[in-house]
Amino acid sequence: MKWQGRRGSSNIEDRRRRGGGARRAGGIGGVAGVLVLLAGWYFGVDTSQFVDLGGGGFEASSSAEITPADERAAQFVSVTLADTEEVWSDIFQRQLGQTYQPPILVLFKGQTQSACGGASAATGPFYCPPERKAYLDTDFFTTLEQRLGAEGDFAAAYVVAHEVAHHVQNELGILGQVNQLRAQMSEADSNAMSVRVELQADCFSGIWARAAQQRFGSLERGDIAEAMNAAAQIGDDTLQRNAGQAVRPHTFTHGTSEQRQRWFARGLESGDLSICDTFAATRL
């Protein structure tokens, strides 16, 4: 992926070297909280919004050594976020006649707190709707490559684009409506609704990839394969198999590997927001 030399975003909140003071919401704690976090370990709608990891009601980022790899990752994230800002501003104007308000992306290392609960390398990247912020530990890129087998800059860009896609859903009012519906559903139905949210975010990520190539010429040979591989590695069925578990579709919250790849490809091929209506789809 060609990313060096382009502008970085000003919507970065870097907490890697300091603490903070924002209040957070309460939620599930203890072992139950850990289980909820594990369920949402791989990037998607934030499960940490339901989790209280304990401690005071204020935000605090751990102090950690910032390595050259961390700095490179931060620069990469900043440029990728700037790309999403330009792409989604254009799409909102052309396809919706609306003005896009970009999210803040919080960079941290180790752990921090959000209005949605605790954030750490173990929770994975997530989007917090009340704050309109995405959270990312730069160490996750190492996890993505070494533990998940998703290598390459564009696989990492897919992570950022996916979280921004949840912000797009928030901007469009989708997340609020879905959360209201899920509160009235059974666990199985709520999980199924979560899958539709995630697959739509994958589709929006595909739209971003198409527009980024048209606007910046940023894609190189093999980049789409990197994103497709990343989508495959974080499919619910693949994660369960790799964990030595039986595949249990009723517990899926993100979609199968095949579904995630297919919806990313739909967005990539079309570039049209309307093609990403997973909620109306009879077949996911």
Side-chain angles (χ1 to χ4, degrees):
M1 176 181 174
K2 301 174 185 176
W3 62 272
Q4 290 92 344
R6 290 204 301 281
R7 78 169 182 93
S9 174
S10 61
N11 292 310
I12 297 285
E13 183 179 331
D14 194 343
R15 297 185 189 171
R16 293 175 299 163
R17 295 182 176 90
R18 62 175 179 81
R23 289 192 177 274
R24 60 175 181 176
I28 303 169
V31 174
V34 173
L35 291 175
V36 172
L37 284 176
L38 289 175
W41 198 94
Y42 298 97
F43 41 98
V45 168
D46 174 31
T47 57
S48 70
Q49 64 186 294
F50 306 112
V51 179
D52 185 340
L53 294 182
F58 292 89
E59 184 180 285
S61 181
S62 63
S63 178
E65 179 187 359
I66 307 302
T67 66
D70 290 321
E71 292 293 7
R72 182 185 185 277
Q75 293 171 10
F76 172 80
V77 168
S78 180
V79 172
T80 303
L81 184 64
D83 288 356
T84 68
E85 291 164 359
E86 292 191 35
V87 164
W88 285 112
S89 292
D90 179 63
I91 290 174
F92 266 52
Q93 185 60 48
R94 287 190 298 102
Q95 296 191 26
L96 302 173
Q98 298 179 17
T99 300
Y100 174 68
Q101 299 295 332
I104 299 295
L105 194 149
V106 178
L107 283 178
F108 67 97
K109 187 171 182 180
Q111 60 183 7
T112 190
Q113 294 292 340
S114 76
C116 294
S120 71
T123 63
F126 66 87
Y127 175 69
C128 182
E131 290 185 299
R132 299 162 56 86
K133 292 181 178 181
Y135 285 77
L136 175 67
D137 185 329
T138 50
D139 278 344
F140 183 76
F141 292 138
T142 300
T143 299
L144 188 69
E145 180 175 339
Q146 296 181 358
R147 291 186 57 186
L148 297 182
E151 300 179 351
D153 283 344
F154 203 71
Y158 166 63
V159 174
V160 177
H162 184 94
E163 298 313 322
V164 172
H166 285 311
H167 176 71
V168 171
Q169 292 174 313
N170 202 29
E171 285 286 283
L172 296 176
I174 294 170
L175 290 188
Q177 294 177 32
V178 167
N179 286 336
Q180 288 180 357
L181 290 173
R182 291 181 64 192
Q184 306 168 28
M185 292 177 170
S186 67
E187 181 179 359
D189 288 343
S190 178
N191 288 344
M193 184 65 73
S194 177
V195 168
R196 291 179 184 269
V197 170
E198 293 304 319
L199 296 181
Q200 184 178 63
D202 284 329
C203 189
F204 285 173
S205 299
I207 289 178
W208 167 79
R210 177 189 179 94
Q213 171 61 10
Q214 293 173 339
R215 195 176 188 91
F216 309 113
S218 54
L219 299 190
E220 299 178 295
R221 182 185 298 274
D223 279 348
I224 296 302
E226 289 177 2
M228 293 290 276
N229 177 57
Q233 296 302 324
I234 47 81
D236 286 318
D237 53 339
T238 298
L239 292 176
Q240 290 181 354
R241 289 192 191 97
N242 289 344
Q245 302 173 355
V247 175
R248 297 172 296 163
H250 68 282
T251 67
F252 289 175
T253 56
H254 293 69
T256 66
S257 295
E258 187 275 334
Q259 287 172 331
R260 301 201 74 163
Q261 288 181 316
R262 179 154 45 82
W263 281 95
F264 177 84
R266 281 174 66 99
L268 179 69
E269 293 165 1
S270 170
D272 186 344
L273 285 170
S274 64
I275 204 69
C276 297
D277 188 358
T278 55
F279 303 98
T282 56
R283 174 179 176 268
L284 293 177

